[in-house]
Each structure stands twice: as structure tokens, then as C-alpha cells.
Amino acid sequence: MSKAATTRLMILQKAFELIYANGYQATSIDDIITNTAVTKGAFFYHFPNKDEMGLAMINEVMYPGMHAAMVLPLINATNPILEIYKMMKGLLIENPHFIVKYGCPAINLIEEMSPLNSTFNKALSKLANQWQEAIELTIRNGKAAGKVRKDVNATQTAFFIMSGYGGIRNLGKLYGKDCYGVYLKELKRYLASLQ
Amino acid sequence: MSKAATTRLMILQKAFELIYANGYQATSIDDIITNTAVTKGAFFYHFPNKDEMGLAMINEVMYPGMHAAMVLPLINATNPILEIYKMMKGLLIENPHFIVKYGCPAINLIEEMSPLNSTFNKALSKLANQWQEAIELTIRNGKAAGKVRKDVNATQTAFFIMSGYGGIRNLGKLYGKDCYGVYLKELKRYLASLQ
DNA sequence: GACATAAAATACTAATTGGTATGTGATGGC
DNA sequence: GCCATCACATACCAATTAGTATTTTATGTC
């Protein structure tokens, strides 16, 4: 990787880190550059403004991360109920990149920025769509394989599962990680009811 | 109400309005006073700083509102499954104070502030606890009355329902109100599975 | 090694931020 | 009618914000 590309990536990764912990608007460009070996000149050489950096961060840092944690575990699922549960448990309990009190980076950014900036909204919708489609497909395949009841609505179920995730990330900020376990137990019950 | 009390309430209500739409940190004191007939002197006469105003807003504006919309509908519930569903539908569809793209004021504030400020965290936890207890009690009563299966865990179920709410408010910001209907359909299915 | 351009460093700016210092008119108790 | 204190109003301040203008240093190509 060229030195310039390294600088650019350093900016995006540190921005992600700070924005994850403090929010997008509360993270200043000065915050980012004082936490890296990057100067303001370099920042504005690589990005025309803060929002363009934010979009690059969504597409180049968050998208790959969410794909690995949320979509890949579902690909080629043979037992959809189990696979969806494992994906969720992996996300909530086993993923070392997430800190309970800071929630989920994607949920945080949706919460903060999607009402304020339609370009952010679009970029974040793409993330959510990928996940929704992966869950939906898993359920449809499960129905075809006879592992999920025929009267289950895949779209409805996907939205319901995604909602649970966003909400428990929110509650986790209030109560800490204990509520993740409580949630997962009931998720298991719910998923079983689809069989 | 005395004139001073009116001024104070005006500040809190306008602050709530602006913070609901733009977030706590993105709403400046100047924003609040230019949108009211209140000066900076009056603001800092009534509140020592911005955070104290924020806490007063949680306790004096948000708490009563959330109690009316989230707790009251469950009190004296005779059919818990139906009552919980109606409470949720009332919140998502019928409540005229909420704007889909801005989500839920309480969820927003939890998202933004609970990781950054432990005093906010505490105040917001009280809100969440009230709701949790109301849902839990409804389910326990339902079990006692034979309207909810004995093997249902009230705490788990309450967390699961609360999570769904927080998450669908998040998705609503992305997708608009259509997803509320999709969510409610699956919530109905889930609630039925408790019977 | 000359040269063009890419990449970055430095110094600045206007606007906005939360908060303060100080002044002033109204209000209520005596 | 005096006086204290309440309830504001006005003018300010230092720090921080996103962004710009200008200069300097690397880097690849011939």
C-alpha cells in the first residue's frame, strides 16, 4: 500500500474509533488529527470535507466489518434457526470490536445521522439492506428445506430480528452486557417458534 | 403558574423539541434561546449549566410523557397480550407527538448520552425501568390469570419487547413508517406465541 | 538529476460554543 | 415607601469548530 493510502486509511480508522465512542458530530476533525500522526493539511488533501470523510468511513470501514459479522455467518446456512442465533450471539457476545456501553457503530450512526443527512441515510440503508436480505434469504431457504414453518413471513421475521438487535444494543448502553444474555434467551425461544 | 415557572417550562419544552429533532449535543443553548422569548441570562438563572437543564428536561418533560404513553396503557390490563400490543401500536402509529424520522426521544437520548454521561444514564435508566416493570407486571398478572403460558419468563419477555421497540424506532429512521406496520404484524405473532 | 505533481505541513480565519460578569427592572415583605 | 432579592437582560470571553490559503517536502518519470 502506498504511503498516501496508508494515511487515508489511518484517518478513516481513527475516525471510526472516535466516532464509535463519541458520535459523529461530537468528533471534531481536530480530535481525529491529534490522535493520529496526520495534519489538517493531509486530512483535507484526502477528503474535501468532514461529511465526505464520514461517507468514506461508512463504505470503506463499516461496510466490510458489518459484512463479516452480520452477513457472512448466514451464507450457506444449513440450519437457519441455529445459524441466525449464532450470528446474533457472535455479534453481541463474541465480537471483540464492540464495547457494550458504546453499542453498535452502525446503529449509532443511523440513530444520529440518518434523520439529519440524506446522503448518510442512503449509505446506511445499504448496510441495513444487506443484512435484511441475508436474514430473509436464510429464512426462505429454511422454508424450502422444511426447517422453517411455511406460514412464517420472511420479511416480517427479518425486520423483527433486526429490530431486536438494534434495541438490545440500545438497552445495553443503559444496563450493561447482562441484558444481552437475557435477550438471547428469549430470541432463542422466538426462533424456535418459527420451526 | 408564576411567570418565572412559565419561563423555565418554556425553556424545557423548546429544548425537548429541538433535542428531539437534532440531538442533545447538536442543540446549543443559543439555539434554544433564539427559538424562545428567553435570553441567556434567564437560561442561566434557571439552570446552572446545559447538563442540568438536560436532566430537568428528562425528569420534568420526558418522564411524564413516557409514563402516559408507555405505562398507563398497561395499568389494570385484563388481557395482557392485547394490551401490550395496543400500547405498542399506540406508541408507533397513533401517538401524534412522534415523528418517524426522528424516532423516539427517550431512545435517542439513551443512544447519544448514556455512554457519555453517567448522570444522564441514571435518569434515563429510571425511565426504562418504569417501562420494564410495567410490562413485566402485565405478563405476571397474565400468567396468574391463565392468559399467558406458565413457562413464559416475564423478565426475558419484557426485555425482548423493549428491544423490539428501540430497534424499530431505529429502522424507522432509515426506512420510514412502513416498517412499523411490518414490525407490528410480527409482534402480534410473537405475542400470540406467549398464550 | 531535473521537473511535475502528489502529499502533507503550517498558519490562519470567521463562526459558534458554553459560560460569565455586570447591570437593571420588577416583586414581595416589612 | 424602603430594601432585599428575584428574574431577567446585555455584553462579553476563551475555547473550539470546519474549513482555507500558502508553503514545503516526497515521489515517480524521463
Side-chain angles (χ1 to χ4, degrees):
Chain A
M1 185 156 47
S2 77
K3 207 182 155 219
T6 309
T7 303
R8 185 189 148 92
L9 197 63
M10 247 170 62
I11 293 170
L12 291 179
Q13 280 173 344
K14 182 57 75 177
F16 171 77
E17 205 179 291
L18 292 171
I19 289 167
Y20 175 41
N22 302 304
Y24 177 80
Q25 294 172 101
T27 301
S28 71
I29 295 169
D30 284 357
D31 284 339
I32 296 168
I33 64 175
T34 55
N35 280 284
T36 51
V38 169
T39 60
K40 193 162 269 196
F43 183 98
F44 281 97
Y45 174 77
H46 285 285
F47 307 101
N49 52 52
K50 190 187 175 187
D51 280 3
E52 287 298 323
M53 184 280 298
L55 289 169
M57 181 197 73
I58 294 174
N59 293 319
E60 296 168 41
V61 178
M62 293 177 65
Y63 189 95
M66 95 100 196
H67 198 268
M70 301 169 116
V71 174
L72 269 188
L74 296 180
I75 283 181
N76 300 323
T78 54
N79 186 337
I81 300 300
L82 188 68
E83 239 87 23
I84 288 174
Y85 181 81
K86 276 165 80 176
M87 175 268 291
M88 194 67 84
K89 191 176 177 191
L91 260 177
L92 291 177
I93 310 283
E94 285 141 22
N95 194 312
H97 298 106
F98 292 163
I99 297 160
V100 174
K101 72 181 286 204
Y102 296 143
C104 165
I107 298 286
N108 293 356
L109 212 52
I110 291 170
E111 232 8 273
E112 181 184 4
M113 295 307 294
S114 79
L116 303 179
N117 184 316
S118 64
T119 318
F120 274 62
N121 187 310
K122 264 191 199 168
L124 293 163
S125 292
K126 254 206 294 197
L127 295 202
N129 276 325
Q130 296 290 315
W131 199 31
Q132 186 200 328
E133 280 164 21
I135 298 174
E136 252 189 76
L137 187 66
T138 304
I139 293 165
R140 279 191 221 289
N141 288 343
K143 282 172 75 174
K147 305 214 172 182
V148 172
R149 291 168 53 166
K150 297 291 181 201
D151 64 325
V152 165
N153 181 310
T155 306
Q156 262 174 231
T157 307
F159 268 96
F160 200 66
I161 291 169
M162 292 169 72
S163 290
Y165 172 73
I168 198 62
R169 282 293 191 197
N170 187 260
L171 283 182
K173 290 187 177 187
L174 270 190
Y175 293 136
K177 69 176 168 172
D178 286 353
C179 63
Y180 285 178
V182 177
Y183 166 78
L184 281 170
K185 277 190 194 167
E186 191 63 19
L187 175 66
K188 190 173 253 173
R189 233 191 83 104
Y190 165 71
L191 289 171
S193 82
L194 303 175
Q195 259 168 336
Chain B
M1 185 157 44
S2 76
K3 209 185 155 219
T6 309
T7 304
R8 185 189 146 92
L9 197 63
M10 247 170 61
I11 293 171
L12 291 178
Q13 279 172 345
K14 182 57 76 177
F16 171 76
E17 205 178 292
L18 292 171
I19 289 168
Y20 175 40
N22 302 304
Y24 178 79
Q25 294 172 101
T27 300
S28 70
I29 297 169
D30 284 356
D31 284 340
I32 295 168
I33 63 176
T34 55
N35 280 284
T36 51
V38 170
T39 61
K40 193 163 270 195
F43 183 98
F44 280 97
Y45 174 77
H46 285 284
F47 307 100
N49 52 51
K50 190 187 174 186
D51 280 4
E52 287 298 323
M53 184 281 298
L55 289 169
M57 180 197 74
I58 294 174
N59 293 321
E60 297 169 40
V61 179
M62 292 177 66
Y63 189 96
M66 97 101 195
H67 198 267
M70 300 168 116
V71 174
L72 269 188
L74 295 180
I75 284 181
N76 300 323
T78 54
N79 186 338
I81 300 300
L82 188 68
E83 239 88 22
I84 289 174
Y85 180 81
K86 276 164 82 176
M87 175 268 291
M88 193 67 84
K89 190 175 177 189
L91 261 176
L92 291 176
I93 310 282
E94 285 142 24
N95 194 310
H97 299 106
F98 292 163
I99 296 160
V100 175
K101 71 179 290 201
Y102 296 142
C104 166
I107 298 285
N108 293 356
L109 212 52
I110 292 170
E111 242 352 286
E112 180 185 3
M113 295 307 294
S114 79
L116 302 180
N117 184 315
S118 64
T119 318
F120 274 63
N121 186 309
K122 264 192 200 166
L124 293 164
S125 292
K126 254 205 295 195
L127 295 203
N129 277 326
Q130 296 292 316
W131 199 30
Q132 187 200 327
E133 280 165 22
I135 297 174
E136 253 190 74
L137 186 67
T138 305
I139 293 165
R140 281 191 220 287
N141 289 343
K143 282 171 77 173
K147 305 214 171 183
V148 171
R149 292 167 53 165
K150 296 289 178 203
D151 63 327
V152 165
N153 181 310
T155 306
Q156 262 173 233
T157 306
F159 268 96
F160 200 66
I161 290 169
M162 291 168 73
S163 290
Y165 173 72
I168 199 62
R169 282 294 191 196
N170 187 259
L171 282 182
K173 290 187 176 187
L174 269 190
Y175 293 137
K177 70 175 167 174
D178 286 354
C179 63
Y180 285 178
V182 177
Y183 166 79
L184 282 171
K185 277 190 195 168
E186 192 62 19
L187 175 68
K188 190 173 253 172
R189 233 192 81 106
Y190 165 71
L191 289 172
S193 82
L194 303 175
Q195 259 167 336

